[in-house]
Amino acid sequence: MKKAAALFLLLVSFSCAFSQEIKRFNPDTVKTIVVDTAVATVRARGGLYVQDFIDQILRDTSFYEAFRNMKKYAFTAENRVYTYNKNDKVEGKIYRKLSHSNVSGKHKIQYLARLDSGQVYKHNGKYELYTVEMFDYIFMNAYNSDFVKGGGSPNAGGKNESYKDKLKTLIFSPGRPISGIPFISKKTEIFSPDMKNLYRYEFARGTYLDSIPVYRFKVIQRPDLLDGQKDDVMIKELTTIFDRRNFQILGRYVDMKFKNFVMDFNVQMDIELNRFDGELLPTKISYQGNWDVPFHKEERASFLVLHKDYQEEK
């Protein structure tokens, strides 16, 4: 069970922003929204209710489809990774600038720039941290990665594939239960009758990326919870950005914290999408977090992935 929890936390540590307690590299992209109208916590203007937002979060498919759509495009990716010691001083830095292409369905990656410094690798050439190793695996092949919803069995590739499948659920279908992870399974089901009373809902109208009219819908831990109730809250905040014109999801921020005798983690993730020639595609993926489980070195890392210059390939 402890090994299972450790594997899952490694995967959680690879889905994406920053911590307000620790000032690190990554910016808060969700907060770049300029809020022009605060909306009541019961009903949003225009006839929308809390349940409308919840229903859309649970049924939305456009978010993961944006990653699938990348297969049709050439683009440039810039990846920055920072690792930290226990005092949050930078220990290692990784920078990659990559050109992705898919000519005739054949994927090709070309390095445009590559720079490492500090404590990045072990003596055997492997990455110092499992977090960085997983980052390299997932984001060097973003559209072939575990962010793409697959049709295979969760156990088709063994235990690791099963936990990657659970990670996909967390990112693309937040609010659903994730079974098989001790102490956590039901804590992700934040819209269930048992969990709903632990959260507060907040609406706002605003502008995203300078021009896109949006709703910002926050599901946030109630500030008046008792200590025992706070222990039941793993997802401290889930913020979702909706395009007001078509109600598609353009961005997602998740803040997760949990601590007991088996595990201790503090993870923030942020994924941002935008349109290119009408197609919804990923533009920014960021992560910051710490995780600590028995028999493993505590890991602290942050990363920022930027995708730009999308060009459709025939």
Side-chain angles (χ1 to χ4, degrees):
M1 283 295 195
K2 291 181 180 179
K3 185 177 180 181
L7 281 169
F8 179 69
L9 290 177
L10 279 170
L11 295 166
V12 164
S13 294
F14 275 108
S15 331
C16 330
F18 44 83
S19 166
Q20 293 185 1
E21 291 84 9
I22 303 170
K23 294 182 180 179
R24 293 185 179 169
F25 174 74
N26 293 325
D28 183 347
T29 56
V30 167
K31 290 184 180 178
T32 62
I33 292 173
V34 178
V35 175
D36 53 37
T37 308
V39 187
T41 58
V42 177
R43 178 180 177 180
R45 294 183 183 181
L48 291 171
Y49 290 84
V50 166
Q51 196 60 45
D52 296 317
F53 289 95
I54 292 174
D55 289 344
Q56 181 65 5
I57 288 172
L58 292 176
R59 68 174 172 244
D60 177 74
T61 60
S62 61
F63 203 68
Y64 76 74
E65 287 291 347
F67 285 84
R68 296 171 66 93
N69 291 339
M70 292 169 62
K71 291 185 176 182
K72 298 182 290 186
Y73 291 81
F75 62 95
T76 301
E78 282 195 85
N79 305 340
R80 292 176 174 87
V81 180
Y82 288 73
T83 65
Y84 306 86
N85 64 20
K86 63 181 180 180
N87 296 316
D88 289 308
K89 301 295 183 182
V90 175
E91 284 191 326
K93 299 179 184 179
I94 298 172
Y95 174 75
R96 302 281 188 273
K97 187 173 183 179
L98 306 159
S99 173
H100 292 254
S101 62
N102 286 286
V103 179
S104 301
K106 294 183 178 179
H107 178 228
K108 181 180 178 181
I109 297 177
Q110 179 183 357
Y111 281 92
L112 304 178
R114 184 173 182 171
L115 180 65
D116 301 326
S117 63
Q119 297 181 31
V120 176
Y121 300 100
K122 298 178 181 178
H123 294 299
N124 60 7
K126 292 186 177 181
Y127 286 114
E128 183 75 24
L129 299 184
Y130 290 109
T131 307
V132 178
E133 183 177 344
M134 189 66 73
F135 164 84
D136 197 54
Y137 169 73
I138 291 177
F139 292 106
M140 284 284 288
N141 302 280
Y143 45 76
N144 293 320
S145 77
D146 302 285
F147 283 105
V148 177
K149 186 173 181 178
S153 167
N155 297 312
K159 288 184 178 180
N160 283 3
E161 293 304 313
S162 174
Y163 292 115
K164 291 173 187 176
D165 194 71
K166 298 177 193 304
L167 175 63
K168 288 190 293 185
T169 300
L170 182 63
I171 296 170
F172 292 118
S173 302
R176 298 186 184 278
I178 299 178
S179 61
I181 304 297
F183 310 108
I184 288 179
S185 299
K186 294 295 184 180
K187 296 183 187 300
T188 60
E189 200 174 5
I190 60 176
F191 301 122
S192 69
D194 291 338
M195 295 291 291
K196 251 184 172 182
N197 64 337
L198 303 178
Y199 288 94
R200 184 178 70 190
Y201 303 107
E202 297 178 359
F203 302 90
R205 288 174 182 258
T207 304
Y208 178 64
L209 299 177
D210 298 327
S211 61
I212 303 172
V214 296
Y215 286 115
R216 184 187 68 190
F217 178 59
K218 281 189 177 184
V219 183
I220 193 166
Q221 175 186 297
R222 282 175 44 192
D224 58 346
L225 295 181
L226 302 175
D227 289 341
Q229 291 175 308
K230 291 178 182 178
D231 293 339
D232 289 329
V233 178
M234 184 191 85
I235 298 177
K236 303 299 180 180
E237 178 184 337
L238 172 66
T239 294
T240 307
I241 308 305
F242 296 87
D243 190 328
R244 289 212 316 256
R245 298 167 299 185
N246 54 25
F247 219 39
Q248 282 188 324
I249 293 176
L250 298 177
R252 177 164 288 149
Y253 168 73
V254 183
D255 180 359
M256 297 184 295
K257 297 180 179 69
F258 188 70
K259 183 176 182 179
N260 65 8
F261 65 94
V262 175
M263 65 191 79
D264 182 356
F265 65 89
N266 180 342
V267 171
Q268 293 78 42
M269 304 178 282
D270 197 351
I271 302 178
E272 183 176 302
L273 311 179
N274 202 353
R275 287 188 176 83
F276 294 82
D277 297 326
E279 193 86 85
L280 203 58
L281 295 164
T283 56
K284 184 178 291 185
I285 304 163
S286 61
Y287 157 88
Q288 176 169 296
N290 310 336
W291 67 269
D292 190 9
V293 294
F295 314 115
H296 284 271
K297 175 185 176 182
E298 181 184 7
E299 299 205 359
R300 300 176 178 226
S302 65
F303 64 76
L304 176 65
V305 178
L306 300 176
H307 291 167
K308 56 187 178 181
D309 302 328
Y310 280 105
Q311 295 182 348
E312 188 170 8
E313 295 188 325
K314 305 300 181 182

